[in-house]
C-alpha cells in the first residue's frame, strides 16, 4: 500500500482516514461492490435487506453537515463516473454544491445500453448501497431531493427499497421511469422530463450542474458511481485507491456477454488485462471481434484484445473506451458487417429527431452500412466515412458521436471482410447482438428534418421501412 | 485579457434554412442535408460584422455569437 502522499502526488497531505476510531475494514481484495451480494448469495436472486446492509454501513448523515469533508474525500479518492463519460465525481459535487439554490440529486439507473446490465444488478440486488451513495451525495451538496430514474422493470424493487428507509431521512425520494428510448437516459433528457417536458435532450447555455431541474443545480450520477461513493465514504479514499491505477483507481463493473460460457456482471480493477477477464468468462477461443462499451462503444480486433488493458490510456490507442463497461464477444462465424448494420439501424431509430445532422445522418449511415453488407460496394465505405465526419459532435446529445465511433470501429475491424461481401460469399451469421424492439412511444419523434422546411415535421413513417 | 467571438448553433432549434451559410461561407458550410457546419475557432475580426448579420438572419434564432474571454 502506497503512502498517501505518494498516491496523491502533489496534493497537500491530508489525513484521509482521520476520523477517530474509523474502522478501515473495507474488503481486502475484489469484489467490492459485489462483496455483500456474494457473501449473502444474492448474485442470482433476492436482495440485501436494509437491516443486513446497516450492519456494515451506517445511515448517511443529514444534508448540509460536513459537506466540505465529504466532497474532499471523494476528490482524494479520484472517483470518476461509471456511466460512460468518466467525469471526476468530486469536481461535479463541488460544482453542484457551489450554487445558492438547493440542489437536486438524480441517480441515473436507466441503463439504456441494451448489452449493459450492471446498474440493473446493483439496483435489483443491492439498492441500499446505491441509495446510500445518493443520500451521501445529497449531504455533500445540500440537496433535499433525490430522484431515482430506472426502467419500468426495476421500479417495484427500487420503490420498495426507498420505502424501507423513509424513516431514516428527511430527504424527499422520488422514482421516475423515463420513456424507453436510448436518449431518455441522457442527463439533459432526464432533467427535461422532470421539468414537465418530453424525455428528450435539450440544448441549453447553462449546464445541469448550474441549472437543471426547476432551474436548480442538478447532480446526475450513474447508479454504479453512487455505489462507489458510498463505499469510499465508508472505507476511505486510501482503501479505494489500493486497487486500480493512479489515474483510474478502484474497481468497475463489466457486463460480459456474447460468445462466453459464463455471461454476467464482473467486477474488475482498472488496469486488468482484458484477455484475462474474457478467459474467466469462458470466451470462445476464436473471436471475430470484441465490442467494448456497448453499441455506444467500439469494436476491437482480436489482436488488439490480446494487448488491451482496462484503462483509458490502453484503449485510446485503438480508438476505444470503457464506456458503460459492456463487453460483447463476437465469435468467429458471426458477420461483423451484418451485426453492425443491425445496430446502426436501431440507433437511427433511436434518434429523437430533433437535430438535422442526427435525424438525417444516422438513417443515411444505417442504410449505407446495410448496402455495404449486401453488396460490398466500395462507394458505401466512402459515404460512411464522409457522413461520420459530417455528423460528429453536431447533435444536442452524444448519440451521433456514439454512432460515429461505432461505425468507424466496424469499418476498421471488418475492413478485410468487405471483399467477401463484394463476391457475395460471406457465410457469417447475424442476429447475435440483442436489438430491442422499436415500439412507438406515446409522443412520436419527428421524422428526419428536411432542411429548410421551417415547419413541424410529421410522424416517423419515413423511418418505418427498415426498422 | 483578450476577447474573441465564436459562432455556435443550437442544433435543436436549427431547421437548416441555410441563410447563415450564404452570408458567411468562410465560416459556415452546409452538410449533405443542408445543416450548418461551423468551422471551429474564433471568428476573425474582419468577419464579425457579417457574423452578426448571420445571427440576426436566422429565422429560428438558432445561431449564436458567443463572447469568449481569455
Amino acid at each position: 500500500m502506497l503512502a498517501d502522499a505518494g498516491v496523491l502526488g502533489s496534493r497537500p497531505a491530508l489525513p484521509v482516514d482521520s476520523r477517530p476510531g474509523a474502522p478501515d475494514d473495507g474488503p481486502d481484495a475484489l469484489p467490492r461492490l459485489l462483496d455483500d451480494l456474494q457473501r449473502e448469495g444474492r448474485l442470482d436472486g433476492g436482495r440485501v435487506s436494509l437491516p443486513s446492509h446497516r450492519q456494515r454501513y451506517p445511515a448517511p448523515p443529514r444534508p448540509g453537515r460536513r459537506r466540505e469533508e465529504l466532497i474532499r474525500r471523494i476528490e482524494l479518492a479520484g472517483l470518476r463516473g461509471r456511466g460512460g463519460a468518466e467525469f471526476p465525481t468530486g469536481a461535479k459535487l463541488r460544482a453542484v454544491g457551489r450554487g445558492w439554490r438547493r440542489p437536486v440529486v438524480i441517480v441515473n439507473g436507466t441503463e439504456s445500453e441494451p448489452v449493459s446490465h450492471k446498474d440493473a444488478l446493483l439496483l435489483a440486488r443491492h439498492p441500499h448501497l446505491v441509495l446510500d451513495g445518493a443520500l451521501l451525495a445529497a449531504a455533500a451538496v445540500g440537496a433535499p431531493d433525490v430522484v431515482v430514474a430506472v426502467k419500468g422493470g426495476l421500479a417495484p424493487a427500487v420503490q420498495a427499497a426507498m420505502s424501507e428507509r423513509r424513516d431514516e431521512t428527511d430527504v424527499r425520494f422520488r422514482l421516475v421511469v423515463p420513456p424507453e428510448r436510448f436518449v431518455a437516459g441522457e442527463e439533459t433528457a432526464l432533467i427535461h422530463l422532470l421539468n414537465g417536458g418530453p424525455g428528450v435532450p435539450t440544448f441549453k447555455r447553462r449546464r445541469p450542474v448550474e441549472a437543471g431541474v426547476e432551474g436548480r443545480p442538478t447532480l446526475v450520477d450513474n447508479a454504479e458511481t453512487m455505489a462507489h461513493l458510498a463505499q469510499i465514504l465508508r472505507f476511505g479514499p486510501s482503501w479505494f485507491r489500493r486497487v486500480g491505477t493512479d489515474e483510474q483507481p478502484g474497481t468497475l463493473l463489466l457486463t460480459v456477454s456474447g460468445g462466453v460460457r459464463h455471461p454476467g456482471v464482473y467486477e474488475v480493477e482498472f488496469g486488468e488485462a482484458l484477455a484475462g477477464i474474457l478467459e474467466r468468462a469462458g470466451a470462445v477461443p476464436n473471436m471475430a471481434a470484441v465490442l467494448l462499451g456497448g453499441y455506444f462503444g467500439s469494436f476491437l480486433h482480436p489482436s488488439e484484445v490480446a494487448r488491451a488493458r482496462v484503462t483509458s490510456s490502453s484503449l485510446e490507442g485503438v480508438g476505444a473506451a470503457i464506456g458503460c463497461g459492456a463487453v460483447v464477444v463476437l465469435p468467429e462465424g458471426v458477420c461483423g458487417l451484418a451485426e453492425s448494420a443491425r445496430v446502426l439501424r436501431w440507433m437511427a431509430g433511436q434518434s429523437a429527431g430533433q437535430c438535422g445532422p442526427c435525424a438525417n445522418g444516422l438513417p443515411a449511415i444505417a442504410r449505407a452500412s446495410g448496402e455495404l453488407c449486401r453488396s460490398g460496394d466500395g462507394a458505401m465505405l466512402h459515404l460512411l466515412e464522409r457522413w461520420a465526419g459530417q455528423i460528429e459532435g453536431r447533435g444536442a446529445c452524444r448519440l451521433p458521436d456514439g454512432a460515429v465511433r461505432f461505425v468507424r470501429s466496424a469499418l476498421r475491424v471488418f475492413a478485410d471482410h468487405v471483399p467477401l461481401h463484394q463476391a457475395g460469399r460471406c457465410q457469417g451469421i447475424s442476429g447475435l447482438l440483442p436489438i430491442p424492439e422499436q415500439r412507438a412511444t406515446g409522443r412520436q419523434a419527428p421524422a428526419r428534418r428536411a432542411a429548410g422546411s421551417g415547419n413541424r415535421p410529421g410522424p416517423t413513417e419515413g423511418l418505418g421501412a427498415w426498422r | 485579457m483578450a476577447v474573441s467571438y465564436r459562432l455556435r448553433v443550437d442544433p435543436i432549434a436549427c431547421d437548416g434554412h441555410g441563410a447563415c451559410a450564404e452570408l458567411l461561407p468562410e465560416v459556415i458550410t452546409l452538410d449533405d442535408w443542408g445543416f450548418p457546419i461551423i468551422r471551429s475557432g474564433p471568428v476573425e475580426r474582419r468577419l464579425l460584422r457579417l457574423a452578426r448579420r448571420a445571427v440576426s438572419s436566422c429565422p429560428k434564432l438558432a445561431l449564436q455569437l458567443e463572447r469568449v474571454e481569455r
Side-chain angles (χ1 to χ4, degrees):
Chain A
M1 176 171 140
L2 297 169
D4 280 358
V7 168
L8 302 172
S10 59
R11 290 195 191 84
L14 261 185
V16 297
D17 297 320
S18 61
R19 283 176 302 156
D24 190 20
D25 56 356
D28 277 333
L30 270 60
R32 292 176 153 196
L33 292 181
L34 303 185
D35 181 42
D36 293 328
L37 289 183
Q38 199 166 56
R39 280 185 305 107
E40 287 196 23
R42 300 239 184 258
L43 281 169
D44 294 315
R47 65 181 172 91
V48 180
S49 71
L50 186 58
S52 172
H53 177 69
R54 284 283 167 257
Q55 278 173 10
R56 287 201 87 190
Y57 295 83
R62 285 190 146 65
R65 314 262 306 272
R66 299 161 50 218
R67 283 169 61 169
E68 176 59 33
E69 184 191 324
L70 294 173
I71 296 177
R72 194 80 186 105
R73 287 159 74 87
I74 297 302
E75 283 175 334
L76 287 168
L79 175 66
R80 289 176 169 265
R82 298 287 193 262
E86 296 184 60
F87 194 84
T89 308
K92 205 190 267 195
L93 288 169
R94 200 169 275 291
V96 169
R98 194 172 284 147
W100 62 272
R101 296 187 62 185
R102 293 187 309 162
V104 177
V105 169
I106 301 178
V107 180
N108 194 350
T110 51
E111 197 164 43
S112 324
E113 177 64 67
V115 288
S116 179
H117 306 294
K118 48 108 175 169
D119 293 327
L121 180 83
L122 282 176
L123 287 162
R125 312 251 168 272
H126 208 358
H128 290 298
L129 188 62
V130 177
L131 294 177
D132 272 3
L135 280 177
L136 286 160
V141 302
D145 295 292
V146 168
V147 178
V148 183
V150 292
K151 286 206 275 273
L154 283 168
V158 175
Q159 183 68 69
M162 279 163 51
S163 306
E164 261 186 285
R165 56 202 295 156
R166 280 206 197 285
D167 295 335
E168 280 186 349
T169 178
D170 296 330
V171 165
R172 290 186 296 253
F173 272 108
R174 186 179 154 188
L175 184 72
V176 69
V177 177
E180 273 209 37
R181 304 188 69 90
F182 195 59
V183 294
E186 197 263 347
E187 187 175 56
T188 62
L190 285 175
I191 291 168
H192 199 185
L193 186 72
L194 290 166
N195 279 338
V200 289
T202 56
F203 185 83
K204 299 232 183 297
R205 195 175 296 267
R206 296 169 79 198
R207 296 164 304 146
V209 294
E210 292 172 51
V213 177
E214 296 166 8
R216 297 155 62 182
T218 303
L219 180 82
V220 183
D221 267 318
N222 173 262
E224 186 194 335
T225 308
M226 293 297 196
H228 285 293
L229 198 151
Q231 288 204 316
I232 289 165
L233 293 173
R234 169 68 182 82
F235 302 121
S238 299
W239 165 84
F240 185 72
R241 299 194 76 111
R242 265 189 231 156
V243 299
T245 70
D246 278 348
E247 297 82 33
Q248 292 176 293
T251 62
L252 70 156
L253 298 180
L254 301 182
T255 310
V256 184
S257 67
V260 294
R261 282 198 312 277
H262 316 294
V265 176
Y266 287 77
E267 185 165 10
V268 304
E269 60 179 290
F270 283 101
E272 270 193 57
L274 183 58
I277 297 165
L278 294 180
E279 205 184 295
R280 281 211 309 275
V284 295
N286 297 316
M287 302 187 271
V290 168
L291 180 62
L292 180 61
Y295 301 163
F296 216 65
S298 46
F299 288 103
L300 294 180
H301 195 269
S303 60
E304 291 164 342
V305 174
R307 293 192 303 268
R309 297 198 158 270
V310 179
T311 61
S312 298
S313 49
S314 165
L315 296 169
E316 255 164 44
V318 287
I322 295 159
C324 66
V327 183
V328 187
V329 172
L330 263 67
E332 219 169 55
V334 172
C335 176
L337 289 177
E339 292 292 77
S340 301
R342 288 174 64 234
V343 170
L344 288 165
R345 199 179 311 138
W346 176 76
M347 287 182 88
Q350 290 297 300
S351 172
Q354 302 190 101
C355 306
C358 177
N360 290 282
L362 255 52
I365 285 172
R367 276 196 304 272
S369 75
E371 184 55 38
L372 179 69
C373 192
R374 266 189 299 280
S375 66
D377 184 356
M380 295 301 118
L381 287 170
H382 163 74
L383 281 176
L384 286 168
E385 278 163 23
R386 174 186 175 83
W387 288 334
Q390 282 195 344
I391 70 171
E392 191 173 20
R394 294 180 57 229
C397 77
R398 304 275 76 80
L399 181 65
D401 300 84
V404 163
R405 180 170 44 237
F406 180 83
V407 72
R408 277 182 177 154
S409 74
L411 293 180
R412 191 175 61 85
V413 173
F414 304 122
D416 47 10
H417 197 62
V418 173
L420 266 179
H421 285 257
Q422 269 165 7
R425 290 196 291 110
C426 174
Q427 304 266 345
I429 58 164
S430 96
L432 175 82
L433 293 176
I435 303 292
E437 255 180 59
Q438 310 230 59
R439 298 196 321 265
T441 53
R443 188 179 189 279
Q444 288 291 345
R448 76 201 85 174
R449 307 273 297 278
S453 59
N455 49 1
R456 197 95 187 95
T460 51
E461 305 112 345
L463 300 176
W466 35 271
R467 250 176 221 207
Chain B
M1 181 187 67
V3 172
S4 63
Y5 293 87
R6 262 167 231 272
L7 278 171
R8 204 166 80 129
V9 66
D10 176 344
I12 296 177
C14 174
D15 256 347
H17 283 79
C20 57
E22 259 191 56
L23 275 167
L24 201 55
E26 298 92 334
V27 180
I28 304 175
T29 54
L30 298 180
D31 66 16
D32 287 0
W33 307 283
F35 292 87
I37 301 176
I38 301 183
R39 201 191 62 197
S40 63
V43 177
E44 292 169 60
R45 297 204 73 83
R46 68 180 178 92
L47 295 174
L48 274 178
R49 187 193 254 179
L50 271 175
R52 289 195 179 96
R53 271 186 68 191
V55 167
S56 47
S57 78
C58 176
K60 296 297 299 294
L61 302 179
L63 191 64
Q64 301 151 7
L65 191 64
E66 287 186 335
R67 185 189 156 94
V68 180
E69 287 178 19
R70 239 158 250 302

